[in-house]
Amino acid sequence: MNELGIYVHWPYCAAICPYCDFNVYRARGASNAPLLDAVEADLAAHAERYTQRNAQSLFLGGGTPSLLRGEEVARLIDGARRTFGLAAGCEITLEANPEDAALFAEQAAAGVNRFSIGAQAFDDEALKALGRRHDSASALRAIEAAATTGQRVSLDLIYAREGQSGEAWRAELEQALKLPVEHVSLYQLTIEAETAFARRVARGQLTPPDQEAAATLYELTQEVCEAAGFTAYEISNHARGPAAQARHNLIYWRSGDWIGVGPGAHGRVTHDGARIALEAQRRPADYIDAVRENGVGWITEARLSGEEAADELLIMGLRTHEGVDVERFAALRGRPFNAEAVAWLEQQGFIVHDGARIRLTQAGRLIANTIAAELGV
Ligand SMILES: C[S@@+](CC[C@H](N)C(=O)[O-])C[C@H]1O[C@@H](n2cnc3c(N)ncnc32)[C@H](O)[C@@H]1O
Ligand code: SF4
């Protein structure tokens, strides 16, 4: 039986960052109660319709769920416990912005056992350019505050920023890896359509590094992390040993099952032998209305074809260092990988095929999407 994860999307943020295209809304001080009620009811609806088995992970993501007080976080955790049940040792992650550090102790007391802190940079100029409301010193204080709770700590950084040199990134990353964290997510800045950054790029006011410069920074990132004992286990994620890997994200990358609740959340569940894809109403008010009126938050509920499920297994699995299970892929798709494409990609040094699994090499990781397309035909 697949592992089960639960994702709760909390869509509110104190301010909207100019690079972000997640489903986010400015927090305006309104009561959180209607959305908390809707999430709880939606959890119950999912459990009733799909499964009541225990979850191995609960991820409170956003948006900025660290805006929630301890008792509100406790409501979400209790909601998941009552409806699905949380397995012993369940990973309970909270995505946290550094400005909310004063709440970490009460959030840990409510049951959070892993903080994922959006530090983004340890360079005050860069933080300003990213439109962040915190500076390096408060990011450091937040990491200290999270570590003091005794829970697991991960941090997010964005690199390949405008004007960022290799030497500056090396120094920044080496400093970050000395902090009391067991896991880092290191994302290349992506210019997402319809964000303020995309408009600046179009006007010539922002010039992110080109693909070649970004690839050089990616390789440098791998080298610095490896030297500091943070092993890459996915394209952007590094952990100090297997126990520190993000269990929740591994569920996505291994095409496990997860329930997604909250505005715009996606879910995937295996039900009656099929893989079901669910997606919730995006706008918070519509989501709350949907749950009130229909008893469920999702607006789409579709059975994936074997081909679609195989595509997802491939695209997500190639992101990981463990790679894609060849037999599982063939069973889903109804035919094996194209042997010629596999042989050619292996010969070019982009993949390794050991009979049971296909993995990307370092060179392959730089063109992961192209390789997925080659293998998916
Ligand atoms: C959904 S955000 C939530 C995190 C939290 N609200 C914060 O801002 O710290 C998760 C992570 O995605 C990354 N991210 C968001 N937009 C990005 C972009 N355009 N390019 C690269 N990374 C991005 C950031 O590192 C961020 O910490
Ligand atoms: S990066 Fe984080 S704080 Fe900024 S808008 Fe996106 S989710 Fe909100």
Side-chain angles (χ1 to χ4, degrees):
M1 179 70 80
N2 276 347
E3 286 207 322
L4 180 74
I6 301 174
Y7 175 77
V8 178
H9 188 74
W10 191 259
Y12 295 113
C13 298
I16 305 302
C17 304
Y19 53 84
C20 183
D21 84 333
F22 285 79
N23 187 33
V24 290
Y25 303 85
R26 181 108 183 255
R28 297 189 188 277
S31 163
N32 288 330
L35 186 54
L36 289 168
D37 289 344
V39 165
E40 273 188 67
D42 202 14
L43 280 168
H46 276 85
E48 193 178 323
R49 179 152 173 81
Y50 287 113
T51 177
Q52 273 145 38
R53 65 188 201 269
N54 283 353
Q56 278 73 32
S57 101
L58 169 63
F59 194 100
L60 309 178
T64 309
S66 57
L67 290 170
L68 295 170
R69 304 294 312 229
E71 67 259 26
E72 295 170 319
V73 170
R75 269 192 69 179
L76 293 174
I77 297 174
D78 286 347
R81 188 177 285 119
R82 263 186 290 109
T83 47
F84 291 90
L86 303 178
C90 178
E91 176 185 276
I92 304 180
T93 303
L94 179 81
E95 261 185 339
N97 284 39
E99 304 94 285
D100 303 325
L103 296 174
F104 291 175
E106 58 187 75
Q107 290 159 343
V112 169
N113 57 26
R114 183 171 180 273
F115 286 90
S116 170
I117 298 179
Q120 315 308 356
F122 290 105
D123 170 320
D124 287 343
E125 280 305 306
L127 284 166
K128 256 193 223 141
L130 288 170
R132 299 292 291 187
R133 292 152 47 93
H134 69 272
D135 60 11
S136 309
S138 48
L140 291 172
R141 281 196 299 274
I143 288 162
E144 204 52 56
T148 304
T149 66
Q151 308 305 329
R152 301 165 58 190
V153 186
S154 173
L155 68 83
D156 288 1
L157 293 175
I158 295 180
Y159 70 100
R161 309 181 301 246
E162 185 178 37
Q164 187 178 33
S165 70
E167 301 86 86
W169 173 229
R170 177 187 289 278
E172 190 179 345
L173 183 56
E174 281 176 349
Q175 281 306 312
L177 299 179
K178 288 185 189 140
L179 295 168
V181 300
E182 58 166 29
H183 184 278
V184 288
S185 301
L186 306 170
Y187 300 114
Q188 287 194 6
L189 175 64
T190 310
I191 304 299
E192 304 285 359
E194 289 170 38
T195 58
F197 266 23
R199 289 188 285 279
R200 283 183 216 169
V201 170
R203 289 196 294 258
Q205 294 165 337
L206 174 68
T207 315
D210 61 23
Q211 227 179 344
E212 203 184 317
T216 306
L217 290 172
Y218 178 78
E219 278 163 3
L220 177 77
T221 304
Q222 307 310 305
E223 178 205 317
V224 171
C225 286
E226 200 54 47
F230 283 79
T231 306
Y233 67 104
E234 194 265 351
I235 287 187
S236 308
N237 286 276
H238 307 252
R240 270 193 223 268
Q245 294 178 359
R247 196 162 177 181
H248 188 82
N249 296 47
L250 280 169
I251 292 177
Y252 297 156
W253 299 322
R254 290 175 174 158
S255 285
D257 284 2
W258 72 92
I259 301 296
V261 292
H266 291 245
R268 291 284 182 278
V269 271
T270 309
H271 188 62
D272 286 344
R275 195 147 170 82
I276 313 290
L278 298 122
E279 190 179 340
Q281 281 281 8
R282 277 179 74 81
R283 284 166 41 85
D286 294 342
Y287 175 81
I288 292 167
D289 285 349
V291 177
R292 281 189 187 144
E293 283 161 26
N294 316 325
V296 303
W298 63 79
I299 41 162
T300 50
E301 188 184 26
R303 284 169 83 93
L304 294 183
S305 65
E307 193 92 18
E308 288 167 331
D311 278 351
E312 286 193 354
L313 180 76
L314 176 64
I315 290 163
M316 299 308 271
L318 282 181
R319 298 187 62 90
T320 64
H321 282 226
E322 67 189 20
V324 182
D325 182 328
V326 171
E327 272 184 20
R328 191 172 163 209
F329 177 85
L332 278 172
R333 195 169 67 159
R335 62 179 195 281
F337 279 112
N338 176 326
E340 263 176 47
V342 170
W344 186 80
L345 289 167
E346 206 168 16
Q347 203 183 24
Q348 299 301 308
F350 291 133
I351 63 168
V352 175
H353 180 214
D354 67 5
R357 307 187 81 88
I358 288 181
R359 301 182 182 83
L360 294 180
T361 59
Q362 175 94 326
R365 258 171 232 123
L366 293 169
I367 51 163
N369 292 342
T370 313
I371 293 179
E374 288 286 325
L375 287 172
V377 289

